[in-house]
Structures are given as structure tokens and as C-alpha cells.
């Protein structure tokens, strides 16, 4: 599958939109910090992580959901 090229800001917006689909996501957001790789990884993705923030709430309860969202996005998007 060919990945769509997006800016870091667009990627963070996409991730946050997906996160908001989860009913338990209030107080959480992806907050940039996209790590762009010098070379794409073995799957062809050129970024590796994004920071998840919790506004006054622990990150751990949302970590698995966030990992799934990032994993799916890595299959669909590359950073410009």
C-alpha cells in the first residue's frame, strides 16, 4: 500500500481524530514530537513515534489504544 504524504501537523491531527473516536480518550492527545527517520524502516514508514499527553490523567490506561492508532497510521502515512 502506498502511503499518503502529510505534514507533521496533519499527522498529529489525524492521530488525534482517531483518538477522539475512543469514548475514554477525554484528557488525552497526541502532542507532536513526531520522530522522522533518516531512512524509511523495513516497512517503508519514515517516522517512528508521536508523543501522547494526558491532561491531568495517567497515560498508561490509554497507551494500548494509542499504540494501535499509531501502528495503523504508520501503514497509511509518511511525513513530508
Amino acid at each position: 500500500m502506498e502511503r499518503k504524504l502529510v505534514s507533521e501537523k496533519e499527522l498529529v491531527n489525524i492521530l488525534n481524530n482517531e483518538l477522539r473516536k475512543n469514548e475514554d480518550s477525554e484528557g488525552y492527545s497526541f502532542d507532536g514530537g513526531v520522530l522522522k527517520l533518516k531512512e524509511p524502516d523495513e516497512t517503508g514508514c519514515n517516522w517512528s513515534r508521536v508523543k501522547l499527553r494526558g491532561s491531568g490523567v495517567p497515560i498508561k490506561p490509554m497507551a494500548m489504544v494509542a499504540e494501535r492508532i499509531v501502528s495503523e497510521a504508520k501503514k497509511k502515512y509518511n511525513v513530508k
Side-chain angles (χ1 to χ4, degrees):
M1 173 195 302
E2 190 163 327
R3 290 172 175 84
K4 181 177 178 181
L5 284 177
V6 295
S7 70
E8 289 184 26
K9 184 176 180 178
E10 289 171 316
L11 178 61
V12 171
N13 286 337
I14 290 165
L15 295 172
N16 279 321
N17 287 337
E18 287 300 312
L19 185 63
R20 286 185 204 103
K21 291 178 182 178
N22 186 297
E23 62 187 42
D24 298 324
S25 68
E26 188 173 334
Y28 296 95
S29 65
F30 288 99
D31 191 19
V34 176
L35 178 62
K36 188 172 178 185
L37 304 174
K38 290 181 183 182
E39 297 289 328
D41 66 15
E42 63 279 352
T43 69
C45 184
N46 73 348
W47 59 280
S48 72
R49 64 182 158 118
V50 177
K51 293 180 183 177
L52 178 67
R53 302 271 185 201
S55 178
V57 291
I59 297 295
K60 198 169 187 174
M62 194 54 56
M64 287 180 56
V65 172
E67 286 177 28
R68 179 186 50 77
I69 291 168
V70 169
S71 177
E72 287 301 311
K74 288 177 77 172
K75 296 174 188 175
K76 298 176 184 176
Y77 303 100
N78 266 342
V79 176
K80 293 179 188 178

